[in-house]
Amino acid sequence: MSMDWQGVRASPSSHVVKKILRLEIPVDSYPNFNFVGRLLGPRGNSLKRVEASTGCRVYIRGKGSIKDPGKEEKLRGRPGYEHLNDPLHILVEAELPINIVDLRLRQAQEIIEELLKPVVFISLILLDLCYQISFFILLLLNIFCCWYCL
């Protein structure tokens, strides 16, 4: 028996199927969070990593998926840009053998859902930590100055 798609054993009856999964982006819940930037990552590396590790194609679609709002407005309504009328969402497309397509879509979904979790809470914890450190430094300076003046 020969090896098929990325090391998975091919069965005589396995054929390639195309499936598309739509994932909603919670823009309404977190209006100030940059979901597109978080999904893309530096130079698009986060999205490239998802595609490379799962064999799926990932598309960011909907209102806000184009960086320039003016350009997005010009493209709205044109053929091929109908998605701009929808809320921001992600399409995950897999064209793989039937025996692994669902597994790969699930893997991509898990990675993307992890990326979609806002990191607001971490920022607040770091801000509080910085405040505590600066307060401690001021306290030490105050003690040192009082000790030095004596």
Side-chain angles (χ1 to χ4, degrees), residues 11 28 53 62 73 80 82 88-89 93 111 113 120 133 136:
S11 67
D28 295 336
S53 65
E73 197 55 45
E82 294 84 4
L88 194 61
H89 62 280
E93 179 183 279
I111 296 168
E113 284 176 348
V120 175
I133 290 170
F136 183 71

Side-chain angles (χ1 to χ4, degrees), residues 65-121:
S65 60
I66 296 177
K67 191 174 186 177
D68 181 8
K71 184 176 181 182
E72 181 175 311
E73 197 55 45
K74 286 180 186 176
L75 293 172
R76 190 182 314 272
R78 288 191 178 179
Y81 294 95
E82 294 84 4
H83 65 89
L84 294 174
N85 296 319
D86 296 338
L88 194 61
H89 62 280
I90 299 166
L91 294 179
V92 183
E93 179 183 279
E95 195 166 350
L96 301 166
I98 196 166
N99 58 337
I100 63 167
V101 68
D102 291 326
L103 173 67
R104 296 296 177 86
L105 280 171
R106 210 169 28 255
Q107 288 173 340
Q109 180 180 3
E110 289 172 3
I111 296 168
I112 291 168
E113 284 176 348
E114 199 60 39
L115 286 172
L116 288 176
K117 290 180 181 174
V119 289
V120 175
F121 301 111

Side-chain angles (χ1 to χ4, degrees), residues 120-140:
V120 175
F121 301 111
I122 294 171
S123 299
L124 291 175
I125 291 169
L126 289 175
L127 185 65
D128 184 53
L129 183 63
C130 290
Y131 173 76
Q132 289 179 7
I133 290 170
S134 61
F135 180 76
F136 183 71
I137 290 170
L138 287 173
L139 180 67
L140 288 176

